[in-house]
Amino acid sequence: MAPSTTSALTLNINGEKHTLSVDHRTTLLDALRERLDLTGTKKGCDQGQCGACTVLIDGRRAVSCLQLAVAAEGREITTIEGVADGDRLHPVQQAFLDLDGFQCGYCTPGQICSALAMIEEHAAGWPSAATEDVRPEAGVPELTAEEIRERMSGNLCRCGAYVSIVQAVAKAARAEEEAI
């Protein structure tokens, strides 16, 4: 008898548990969109290069087109549908809206999820390739436009809304700092 190619798994998505049976080769992106009808996460390149499918797994950015659904079991998955607090937008979402950080909107869910993690990474003092002084004693680098562009470089926007995206991320990061 051939081994089974499917597994029953429980995914914790946006604080809610979903049990489903999937083929072992099913990506998290396809499980979200095709099986759970969470279509906010977009399929762009399907090769992990555009960032349209970015979600948060245990608070870290992940391109869901390269993540197998079975490997996400037991992890905390946040999609764009889980970012707002009811009808109240998250400050990152509000900043994108206020500053027109989108044009067609296709990449926006991935941009927002990436920005959420990026702001946390920066606040924790993680350096980027644009960080001039990476010594721990240098402290948290200033969140300049160059830093934001580098940290968001895994998310592409076909419309070219980058100037507004950088402004939106900077505004949201300032709001996060003020809230602390």
Side-chain angles (χ1 to χ4, degrees), residues 82-138:
V83 172
D85 183 11
D87 290 338
R88 198 178 100 230
L89 294 178
H90 186 281
V92 172
Q93 291 173 304
Q94 190 63 55
F96 267 73
L97 188 61
D98 292 346
L99 297 168
D100 294 325
F102 55 90
Q103 283 182 27
C104 79
Y106 195 82
C107 72
T108 306
Q111 296 274 2
I112 289 171
C113 285
S114 189
L116 288 166
M118 185 230 78
I119 291 168
E120 293 288 323
E121 292 163 8
H122 174 262
W126 296 9
S128 78
T131 304
E132 289 186 28
D133 189 348
V134 298
R135 295 174 302 140
E137 59 269 16

Side-chain angles (χ1 to χ4, degrees), residues 105-173:
Y106 195 82
C107 72
T108 306
Q111 296 274 2
I112 289 171
C113 285
S114 189
L116 288 166
M118 185 230 78
I119 291 168
E120 293 288 323
E121 292 163 8
H122 174 262
W126 296 9
S128 78
T131 304
E132 289 186 28
D133 189 348
V134 298
R135 295 174 302 140
E137 59 269 16
V140 177
E142 182 182 353
L143 192 57
T144 62
E146 183 181 14
E147 276 284 343
I148 293 170
R149 282 192 297 274
E150 172 60 32
R151 291 170 185 269
M152 294 290 293
S153 65
N155 292 82
L156 303 179
C157 173
R158 292 181 179 116
C159 300
Y162 295 114
V163 171
S164 297
I165 290 168
V166 169
Q167 292 171 348
V169 172
K171 178 180 180 177

Side-chain angles (χ1 to χ4, degrees), residues 19-97:
T19 301
L20 60 155
S21 179
V22 297
D23 183 289
H24 295 155
R25 300 165 293 182
T26 303
T27 64
L28 179 57
L29 174 62
D30 287 338
L32 292 170
R33 292 184 58 79
E34 307 300 327
R35 302 293 307 283
L36 299 171
D37 204 29
L38 293 168
T39 57
T41 304
K42 303 302 184 207
K43 185 178 277 199
C45 67
D46 219 15
Q47 297 176 357
Q49 295 183 12
C50 74
C53 68
T54 302
V55 298
L56 303 177
I57 300 178
D58 295 333
R60 305 273 313 267
R61 309 181 242 196
V63 284
S64 60
C65 71
L66 296 182
Q67 174 81 37
L68 293 176
V70 294
E73 186 169 31
R75 316 273 302 275
E76 290 284 332
I77 302 162
T78 304
T79 67
I80 192 66
E81 290 90 349
V83 172
D85 183 11
D87 290 338
R88 198 178 100 230
L89 294 178
H90 186 281
V92 172
Q93 291 173 304
Q94 190 63 55
F96 267 73
L97 188 61

